[in-house]
Amino acid sequence: MERTQVAIIGAGPAGLLLGRMLELAGVDAVILEHRSRAHVEGRIRAGMLEHRTARLLEELGLDERMRREAFVHHGFEMRFDGTRHRIPMAELTGGCTAVMYSQQEIVRDAIEARAASRLPLEFEVGEVRLDGPDTDHPKVRYRVADGSEQVLACDFIAGCDGFHGVSRTSIPAGVLTSYQRDYPFAWLGVLADVAPSTFELIYACHERGFALHSMRSSEVSRFYLQVPPDADLADWPDDRIWAELQLRLGTDGGAPLAEGAITKKSVTAMRSFVVEPMRYGRLFLAGDAAHIVPPTAAKGLNLAAADVRLLADALCTWYESGDPTALDAYSDDALRGVWRAQQFSRSMTSLLHHDPSDPMEWRLQHAELKHLCTSEAAMRNFCENYVGLPAVGRVHRREPEPT
Ligand code: APR
Ligand code: PHB
């Protein structure tokens, strides 16, 4: 039987950032991931970091490539009724910016750093099972490539294994309360080999549905289109996607978008989901394992980072002093920020998407959009939520070894 202090299930952003924080504090951890490294590094997800998430990467020394490659945005644009409105986010929030650096870049940087530190991160593990998470001696059982079973004894388990993971579902029925809302829309996301047609993001509310122009680099643009939840990619050839983007993102007299080769397409369902509490005994849930936000405003990754910052602080405090207060407060502390982000993501989604079955809602959305784009107070309120909450939790550092 192997032993570690913290067993981390999942090598998404939550598991990897938690692993890095524990490493800096000198706490042992093993990360177990059931997919391959190539799969994890190639998964295309959202790409916008809140101020606090970008700062966390700096504190963790994972910011070198981000500093070189990422665009830093000070505002964004709202388009509706053929008009455009710039929202000066940084000006309205005391300088908070949004950093365009995508989830898989963070994952790549964090995996590389962990490999450089020669710390355990096992890919392609199978049949992960949590044994006694409600006892003082939890274990994780899993299979490795040769088919043999491994047992990892630990003090704590961090369930960072996403929405479909095993951690949340290992908790007995009746312990967790879950809240879920599905939306009557999905996002068709595309990556295109074309320079962005804009310096800042463009959110468009159009009768044909929402559209977003985002970006990954000076050569790669990212676009999203509202589509029905049962949309089939076969019905979305490239020329239809471009035609729809041109219509929805177009403005009166504005230049058309530059078009290029579409290299990736996928459809993502939109859901709000939360479980409470984010703890069961010595098992702590973080990130998508505990909550899902609709993708509007790109809060998912930022919430995962905020969770593990709190969790790492609480675990390190316990190892340093034996004080369980922060561990006991973890779920409530994390959920405060989660619900705030859930509320904003839901309201931004409702503001910008079109549900043709609800004409009154459509008129109300326009009233709100006009107010948002003309009232400084409304803009400031929107931006305060858009840029995210301040960081909570301390990044612990191992005492330097005596010389
Ligand atoms: N055993 C081991 N690993 C697992 C298991 C399992 N049983 N089930 C899932 N995993 C792995 C997945 O393969 C994935 O790599 O857990 C990881 C979970 O990562 P994410 O789904 O990215 O979740 P999280 O780290 O919470 O990320 C939060 O960032 O990736 C974005 O959009 C995503 O909003 C999300 C946010
Ligand atoms: C993205 O680039 O993936 C992105 C950006 C902003 C959003 C959502 C997604 O609001």
Side-chain angles (χ1 to χ4, degrees):
M1 185 159 64
E2 295 172 79
R3 221 204 110 68
T4 190
Q5 291 176 303
V6 183
I8 300 176
I9 319 294
L16 289 164
L17 295 179
L18 177 62
R20 179 68 170 178
M21 282 183 265
L22 296 179
E23 174 190 348
L24 296 180
V27 174
D28 290 338
V30 172
I31 306 182
L32 301 173
E33 165 60 51
H34 81 151
R35 308 304 293 253
S36 67
R37 178 171 178 175
H39 178 94
V40 170
E41 291 187 340
R43 217 162 24 196
I44 311 285
R45 299 258 187 81
M48 188 170 69
L49 307 186
E50 290 175 356
H51 198 66
R52 60 175 165 172
T53 310
R55 295 293 85 78
L56 176 64
L57 296 178
E58 283 171 16
E59 284 178 81
L60 301 185
L62 296 177
D63 59 323
E64 195 212 313
R65 209 156 58 87
M66 176 182 80
R67 267 191 290 113
R68 260 189 292 124
E69 296 178 9
F71 294 130
V72 177
H73 287 181
H74 292 76
F76 55 90
E77 202 172 295
M78 288 286 187
R79 293 189 176 178
F80 57 95
D81 294 342
T83 59
R84 41 195 294 192
H85 307 265
R86 180 173 187 268
I87 313 281
M89 162 180 80
E91 206 178 297
L92 294 168
T93 56
C96 286
T97 53
V99 176
M100 302 309 299
Y101 196 62
S102 69
Q103 177 267 151
Q104 79 268 26
E105 308 300 344
I106 295 177
V107 163
R108 243 178 254 170
D109 296 343
I111 290 177
E112 201 177 292
R114 194 159 181 91
S117 305
R118 299 181 186 284
L119 290 172
L121 164 52
E122 294 196 41
F123 289 100
E124 299 182 68
V125 302
E127 296 172 40
V128 173
R129 278 166 301 133
L130 314 191
D131 197 348
D134 54 336
T135 69
D136 284 344
H137 303 286
K139 294 185 188 73
V140 180
R141 298 175 187 277
Y142 59 100
R143 268 187 208 288
V144 288
D146 68 7
S148 61
E149 190 186 69
Q150 300 280 326
V151 183
L152 177 63
C154 55
D155 301 325
F156 298 101
I157 303 173
C160 300
D161 46 353
F163 184 67
H164 300 287
V166 69
S167 300
R168 188 182 67 251
T169 52
S170 304
I171 299 174
V175 172
L176 302 179
T177 305
S178 61
Y179 302 86
Q180 178 161 340
R181 174 169 301 179
D182 292 308
Y183 295 82
F185 336 109
W187 274 17
L188 167 63
V190 307
L191 273 181
D193 280 343
V194 61
S197 297
T198 170
F199 290 113
E200 296 177 338
L201 265 53
I202 306 170
Y203 292 93
C205 175
H206 193 277
E207 200 170 4
R208 300 177 69 88
F210 167 77
L212 167 59
H213 184 349
S214 182
M215 60 203 66
R216 292 292 177 262
S217 69
S218 51
E219 289 102 40
V220 177
S221 297
R222 178 80 166 147
F223 297 95
Y224 297 98
L225 283 170
Q226 174 191 335
V227 292
D230 57 355
D232 184 350
L233 280 180
D235 297 331
W236 286 92
D238 296 3
D239 52 353
R240 181 176 178 203
I241 292 176
W242 283 118
E244 208 57 46
L245 287 168
Q246 297 289 6
L247 274 172
R248 297 187 195 182
L249 286 158
T251 51
D252 297 340
L257 301 172
E259 299 185 9
I262 291 181
T263 54
K264 286 246 162 56
K265 290 183 210 180
S266 60
V267 175
T268 311
M270 298 183 79
R271 167 177 301 151
S272 301
F273 173 81
V274 183
V275 289
E276 295 181 335
M278 291 167 58
R279 173 185 189 172
Y280 175 60
R282 286 178 171 247
L283 165 63
F284 293 85
L285 302 177
D288 277 18
H291 42 74
I292 300 284
V293 280
T296 330
K299 295 283 179 202
L301 166 60
N302 296 291
L303 283 180
D307 285 353
V308 292
R309 182 179 183 119
L310 280 169
L311 181 55
D313 184 10
L315 288 167
C316 295
T317 302
W318 190 88
Y319 280 110
E320 284 160 16
S321 64
D323 182 356
T325 314
L327 281 173
D328 291 341
Y330 165 71
S331 175
D332 286 347
D333 288 349
L335 284 165
R336 249 191 308 281
V338 167
W339 280 111
R340 182 80 237 110
Q342 288 287 1
Q343 187 278 328
F344 179 68
S345 303
R346 193 271 316 260
S347 86
M348 189 169 167
T349 300
S350 309
L351 176 67
L352 295 172
H353 290 67
H354 186 203
D355 177 357
S357 71
D358 196 345
M360 175 144 184
E361 180 65 25
W362 186 236
R363 304 291 295 154
L364 293 169
Q365 284 169 243
H366 276 78
E368 192 178 338
L369 273 169
K370 284 176 194 152
H371 178 59
L372 171 64
C373 295
T374 48
S375 152
E376 192 184 305
M379 262 186 234
R380 192 184 297 279
N381 175 51
F382 188 93
C383 288
E384 190 178 301
N385 285 288
Y386 186 83
V387 301
L389 296 168
V392 186
R394 180 163 73 83
V395 174
H396 293 238
R397 312 262 166 197
R398 182 200 332 237
E399 298 275 318
E401 303 284 340
T403 46

PDB file of all heavy atoms in Angstrom, residues 11 17 24 36 39 65 91 118 171 177 185 190 212 233 242 246 267 275 288 294 337:
ATOM      1  N   ALA A  11      -6.984  15.506 -12.847  1.00  0.00           N
ATOM      2  CA  ALA A  11      -5.929  16.456 -13.241  1.00  0.00           C
ATOM      3  C   ALA A  11      -6.479  17.490 -14.208  1.00  0.00           C
ATOM      4  O   ALA A  11      -5.917  17.768 -15.258  1.00  0.00           O
ATOM      5  CB  ALA A  11      -4.740  15.714 -13.853  1.00  0.00           C
ATOM      6  N   LEU A  17      -3.968  22.719  -9.860  1.00  0.00           N
ATOM      7  CA  LEU A  17      -3.617  23.920  -9.083  1.00  0.00           C
ATOM      8  C   LEU A  17      -3.530  23.580  -7.593  1.00  0.00           C
ATOM      9  O   LEU A  17      -2.658  24.087  -6.875  1.00  0.00           O
ATOM     10  CB  LEU A  17      -4.620  25.049  -9.337  1.00  0.00           C
ATOM     11  CG  LEU A  17      -4.628  25.596 -10.777  1.00  0.00           C
ATOM     12  CD1 LEU A  17      -5.678  26.698 -10.936  1.00  0.00           C
ATOM     13  CD2 LEU A  17      -3.252  26.125 -11.188  1.00  0.00           C
ATOM     14  N   LEU A  24       4.097  23.755  -2.975  1.00  0.00           N
ATOM     15  CA  LEU A  24       4.812  24.930  -2.462  1.00  0.00           C
ATOM     16  C   LEU A  24       4.839  24.930  -0.937  1.00  0.00           C
ATOM     17  O   LEU A  24       5.760  25.465  -0.318  1.00  0.00           O
ATOM     18  CB  LEU A  24       4.172  26.218  -2.973  1.00  0.00           C
ATOM     19  CG  LEU A  24       4.228  26.434  -4.494  1.00  0.00           C
ATOM     20  CD1 LEU A  24       3.566  27.747  -4.871  1.00  0.00           C
ATOM     21  CD2 LEU A  24       5.666  26.394  -5.012  1.00  0.00           C
ATOM     22  N   SER A  36      -5.677  10.186 -20.572  1.00  0.00           N
ATOM     23  CA  SER A  36      -4.255  10.287 -20.908  1.00  0.00           C
ATOM     24  C   SER A  36      -3.795  11.749 -20.812  1.00  0.00           C
ATOM     25  O   SER A  36      -4.627  12.666 -20.847  1.00  0.00           O
ATOM     26  CB  SER A  36      -4.019   9.794 -22.337  1.00  0.00           C
ATOM     27  OG  SER A  36      -4.635  10.702 -23.228  1.00  0.00           O
ATOM     28  N   HIS A  39      -4.937  13.644 -23.866  1.00  0.00           N
ATOM     29  CA  HIS A  39      -6.369  13.977 -23.834  1.00  0.00           C
ATOM     30  C   HIS A  39      -6.603  15.208 -22.955  1.00  0.00           C
ATOM     31  O   HIS A  39      -7.287  16.156 -23.351  1.00  0.00           O
ATOM     32  CB  HIS A  39      -7.176  12.788 -23.310  1.00  0.00           C
ATOM     33  CG  HIS A  39      -8.636  13.082 -23.208  1.00  0.00           C
ATOM     34  ND1 HIS A  39      -9.527  12.783 -24.206  1.00  0.00           N
ATOM     35  CD2 HIS A  39      -9.364  13.692 -22.226  1.00  0.00           C
ATOM     36  CE1 HIS A  39     -10.732  13.191 -23.850  1.00  0.00           C
ATOM     37  NE2 HIS A  39     -10.658  13.741 -22.645  1.00  0.00           N
ATOM     38  N   ARG A  65       4.445  31.585 -19.328  1.00  0.00           N
ATOM     39  CA  ARG A  65       3.924  31.589 -20.696  1.00  0.00           C
ATOM     40  C   ARG A  65       2.707  32.523 -20.806  1.00  0.00           C
ATOM     41  O   ARG A  65       2.535  33.230 -21.801  1.00  0.00           O
ATOM     42  CB  ARG A  65       3.554  30.157 -21.108  1.00  0.00           C
ATOM     43  CG  ARG A  65       3.676  29.897 -22.588  1.00  0.00           C
ATOM     44  CD  ARG A  65       3.888  28.425 -22.853  1.00  0.00           C
ATOM     45  NE  ARG A  65       2.825  27.593 -22.337  1.00  0.00           N
ATOM     46  CZ  ARG A  65       1.703  27.309 -23.005  1.00  0.00           C
ATOM     47  NH1 ARG A  65       1.499  27.808 -24.199  1.00  0.00           N
ATOM     48  NH2 ARG A  65       0.784  26.515 -22.485  1.00  0.00           N
ATOM     49  N   GLU A  91     -11.803  50.338 -15.957  1.00  0.00           N
ATOM     50  CA  GLU A  91     -12.066  51.684 -15.433  1.00  0.00           C
ATOM     51  C   GLU A  91     -13.125  51.647 -14.335  1.00  0.00           C
ATOM     52  O   GLU A  91     -13.067  52.425 -13.382  1.00  0.00           O
ATOM     53  CB  GLU A  91     -12.598  52.480 -16.623  1.00  0.00           C
ATOM     54  CG  GLU A  91     -12.395  53.955 -16.578  1.00  0.00           C
ATOM     55  CD  GLU A  91     -12.948  54.536 -17.887  1.00  0.00           C
ATOM     56  OE1 GLU A  91     -12.399  54.189 -18.962  1.00  0.00           O
ATOM     57  OE2 GLU A  91     -13.947  55.280 -17.814  1.00  0.00           O
ATOM     58  N   ARG A 118       9.156  16.424 -10.423  1.00  0.00           N
ATOM     59  CA  ARG A 118       9.153  14.956 -10.248  1.00  0.00           C
ATOM     60  C   ARG A 118       8.175  14.521  -9.150  1.00  0.00           C
ATOM     61  O   ARG A 118       8.511  13.691  -8.286  1.00  0.00           O
ATOM     62  CB  ARG A 118      10.557  14.436  -9.915  1.00  0.00           C
ATOM     63  CG  ARG A 118      11.557  14.729 -11.003  1.00  0.00           C
ATOM     64  CD  ARG A 118      12.924  14.191 -10.643  1.00  0.00           C
ATOM     65  NE  ARG A 118      13.894  14.617 -11.640  1.00  0.00           N
ATOM     66  CZ  ARG A 118      14.011  14.090 -12.860  1.00  0.00           C
ATOM     67  NH1 ARG A 118      13.207  13.117 -13.240  1.00  0.00           N
ATOM     68  NH2 ARG A 118      14.926  14.537 -13.703  1.00  0.00           N
ATOM     69  N   ILE A 171     -20.467   9.629  -2.443  1.00  0.00           N
ATOM     70  CA  ILE A 171     -21.064  10.111  -1.186  1.00  0.00           C
ATOM     71  C   ILE A 171     -22.469   9.507  -1.061  1.00  0.00           C
ATOM     72  O   ILE A 171     -23.250   9.551  -2.019  1.00  0.00           O
ATOM     73  CB  ILE A 171     -21.104  11.661  -1.184  1.00  0.00           C
ATOM     74  CG1 ILE A 171     -19.667  12.205  -1.290  1.00  0.00           C
ATOM     75  CG2 ILE A 171     -21.819  12.189   0.055  1.00  0.00           C
ATOM     76  CD1 ILE A 171     -19.558  13.709  -1.432  1.00  0.00           C
ATOM     77  N   THR A 177     -27.325  17.955  -0.826  1.00  0.00           N
ATOM     78  CA  THR A 177     -28.499  18.537  -1.469  1.00  0.00           C
ATOM     79  C   THR A 177     -28.017  19.075  -2.800  1.00  0.00           C
ATOM     80  O   THR A 177     -26.994  19.762  -2.850  1.00  0.00           O
ATOM     81  CB  THR A 177     -29.044  19.711  -0.629  1.00  0.00           C
ATOM     82  OG1 THR A 177     -29.289  19.228   0.683  1.00  0.00           O
ATOM     83  CG2 THR A 177     -30.329  20.266  -1.216  1.00  0.00           C
ATOM     84  N   PHE A 185     -31.019  26.142 -24.250  1.00  0.00           N
ATOM     85  CA  PHE A 185     -30.019  26.493 -25.271  1.00  0.00           C
ATOM     86  C   PHE A 185     -28.761  25.667 -25.055  1.00  0.00           C
ATOM     87  O   PHE A 185     -28.538  25.140 -23.971  1.00  0.00           O
ATOM     88  CB  PHE A 185     -29.548  27.952 -25.180  1.00  0.00           C
ATOM     89  CG  PHE A 185     -30.468  28.913 -24.522  1.00  0.00           C
ATOM     90  CD1 PHE A 185     -30.180  29.453 -23.278  1.00  0.00           C
ATOM     91  CD2 PHE A 185     -31.624  29.321 -25.179  1.00  0.00           C
ATOM     92  CE1 PHE A 185     -31.027  30.376 -22.676  1.00  0.00           C
ATOM     93  CE2 PHE A 185     -32.474  30.242 -24.584  1.00  0.00           C
ATOM     94  CZ  PHE A 185     -32.181  30.774 -23.337  1.00  0.00           C
ATOM     95  N   VAL A 190     -16.574  27.175 -31.782  1.00  0.00           N
ATOM     96  CA  VAL A 190     -15.640  26.855 -32.867  1.00  0.00           C
ATOM     97  C   VAL A 190     -14.317  27.571 -32.649  1.00  0.00           C
ATOM     98  O   VAL A 190     -14.255  28.662 -32.076  1.00  0.00           O
ATOM     99  CB  VAL A 190     -16.190  27.212 -34.283  1.00  0.00           C
ATOM    100  CG1 VAL A 190     -17.544  26.600 -34.528  1.00  0.00           C
ATOM    101  CG2 VAL A 190     -16.245  28.704 -34.521  1.00  0.00           C
ATOM    102  N   LEU A 212     -20.878  35.083 -29.531  1.00  0.00           N
ATOM    103  CA  LEU A 212     -19.715  35.657 -28.836  1.00  0.00           C
ATOM    104  C   LEU A 212     -18.495  35.530 -29.722  1.00  0.00           C
ATOM    105  O   LEU A 212     -18.223  34.461 -30.274  1.00  0.00           O
ATOM    106  CB  LEU A 212     -19.495  34.895 -27.514  1.00  0.00           C
ATOM    107  CG  LEU A 212     -18.177  35.093 -26.753  1.00  0.00           C
ATOM    108  CD1 LEU A 212     -17.950  36.545 -26.374  1.00  0.00           C
ATOM    109  CD2 LEU A 212     -18.163  34.236 -25.474  1.00  0.00           C
ATOM    110  N   LEU A 233     -23.989  18.554 -34.860  1.00  0.00           N
ATOM    111  CA  LEU A 233     -22.899  19.216 -35.596  1.00  0.00           C
ATOM    112  C   LEU A 233     -23.019  19.013 -37.105  1.00  0.00           C
ATOM    113  O   LEU A 233     -22.586  19.861 -37.893  1.00  0.00           O
ATOM    114  CB  LEU A 233     -21.545  18.677 -35.120  1.00  0.00           C
ATOM    115  CG  LEU A 233     -21.007  19.263 -33.815  1.00  0.00           C
ATOM    116  CD1 LEU A 233     -19.674  18.634 -33.473  1.00  0.00           C
ATOM    117  CD2 LEU A 233     -20.879  20.784 -33.930  1.00  0.00           C
ATOM    118  N   TRP A 242     -20.328  30.557 -40.409  1.00  0.00           N
ATOM    119  CA  TRP A 242     -19.858  31.916 -40.723  1.00  0.00           C
ATOM    120  C   TRP A 242     -21.029  32.840 -41.035  1.00  0.00           C
ATOM    121  O   TRP A 242     -21.061  33.993 -40.590  1.00  0.00           O
ATOM    122  CB  TRP A 242     -18.864  31.894 -41.896  1.00  0.00           C
ATOM    123  CG  TRP A 242     -17.502  31.408 -41.472  1.00  0.00           C
ATOM    124  CD1 TRP A 242     -16.847  30.304 -41.925  1.00  0.00           C
ATOM    125  CD2 TRP A 242     -16.637  32.012 -40.489  1.00  0.00           C
ATOM    126  NE1 TRP A 242     -15.626  30.173 -41.282  1.00  0.00           N
ATOM    127  CE2 TRP A 242     -15.479  31.206 -40.408  1.00  0.00           C
ATOM    128  CE3 TRP A 242     -16.736  33.131 -39.667  1.00  0.00           C
ATOM    129  CZ2 TRP A 242     -14.419  31.501 -39.543  1.00  0.00           C
ATOM    130  CZ3 TRP A 242     -15.687  33.428 -38.803  1.00  0.00           C
ATOM    131  CH2 TRP A 242     -14.547  32.619 -38.745  1.00  0.00           C
ATOM    132  N   GLN A 246     -21.787  36.179 -38.923  1.00  0.00           N
ATOM    133  CA  GLN A 246     -21.826  37.500 -39.578  1.00  0.00           C
ATOM    134  C   GLN A 246     -23.137  38.214 -39.243  1.00  0.00           C
ATOM    135  O   GLN A 246     -23.135  39.411 -38.934  1.00  0.00           O
ATOM    136  CB  GLN A 246     -21.712  37.359 -41.113  1.00  0.00           C
ATOM    137  CG  GLN A 246     -20.408  36.757 -41.608  1.00  0.00           C
ATOM    138  CD  GLN A 246     -19.190  37.676 -41.455  1.00  0.00           C
ATOM    139  OE1 GLN A 246     -19.267  38.755 -40.875  1.00  0.00           O
ATOM    140  NE2 GLN A 246     -18.047  37.226 -41.943  1.00  0.00           N
ATOM    141  N   VAL A 267     -20.495  21.070 -29.345  1.00  0.00           N
ATOM    142  CA  VAL A 267     -21.719  21.622 -28.744  1.00  0.00           C
ATOM    143  C   VAL A 267     -21.672  21.363 -27.240  1.00  0.00           C
ATOM    144  O   VAL A 267     -21.385  20.250 -26.805  1.00  0.00           O
ATOM    145  CB  VAL A 267     -22.976  20.970 -29.357  1.00  0.00           C
ATOM    146  CG1 VAL A 267     -24.239  21.451 -28.645  1.00  0.00           C
ATOM    147  CG2 VAL A 267     -23.079  21.281 -30.843  1.00  0.00           C
ATOM    148  N   VAL A 275     -23.901  21.337  -5.552  1.00  0.00           N
ATOM    149  CA  VAL A 275     -24.204  20.462  -4.415  1.00  0.00           C
ATOM    150  C   VAL A 275     -23.689  21.096  -3.132  1.00  0.00           C
ATOM    151  O   VAL A 275     -22.659  21.777  -3.113  1.00  0.00           O
ATOM    152  CB  VAL A 275     -23.601  19.026  -4.517  1.00  0.00           C
ATOM    153  CG1 VAL A 275     -24.301  18.208  -5.571  1.00  0.00           C
ATOM    154  CG2 VAL A 275     -22.098  19.031  -4.693  1.00  0.00           C
ATOM    155  N   ASP A 288     -15.678  21.589 -10.827  1.00  0.00           N
ATOM    156  CA  ASP A 288     -16.869  21.036 -11.488  1.00  0.00           C
ATOM    157  C   ASP A 288     -17.446  19.812 -10.777  1.00  0.00           C
ATOM    158  O   ASP A 288     -18.585  19.431 -11.036  1.00  0.00           O
ATOM    159  CB  ASP A 288     -16.524  20.626 -12.931  1.00  0.00           C
ATOM    160  CG  ASP A 288     -16.585  21.807 -13.902  1.00  0.00           C
ATOM    161  OD1 ASP A 288     -16.556  22.957 -13.429  1.00  0.00           O
ATOM    162  OD2 ASP A 288     -16.657  21.571 -15.123  1.00  0.00           O
ATOM    163  N   PRO A 294     -23.401  27.916 -16.323  1.00  0.00           N
ATOM    164  CA  PRO A 294     -23.487  28.054 -17.775  1.00  0.00           C
ATOM    165  C   PRO A 294     -22.256  28.830 -18.261  1.00  0.00           C
ATOM    166  O   PRO A 294     -21.679  29.605 -17.487  1.00  0.00           O
ATOM    167  CB  PRO A 294     -24.786  28.836 -17.990  1.00  0.00           C
ATOM    168  CG  PRO A 294     -25.123  29.447 -16.678  1.00  0.00           C
ATOM    169  CD  PRO A 294     -24.469  28.632 -15.619  1.00  0.00           C
ATOM    170  N   GLY A 337     -18.980  32.152  -2.731  1.00  0.00           N
ATOM    171  CA  GLY A 337     -18.540  32.632  -4.050  1.00  0.00           C
ATOM    172  C   GLY A 337     -19.214  31.890  -5.192  1.00  0.00           C
ATOM    173  O   GLY A 337     -19.490  32.473  -6.244  1.00  0.00           O
TER     174      GLY A 337
END
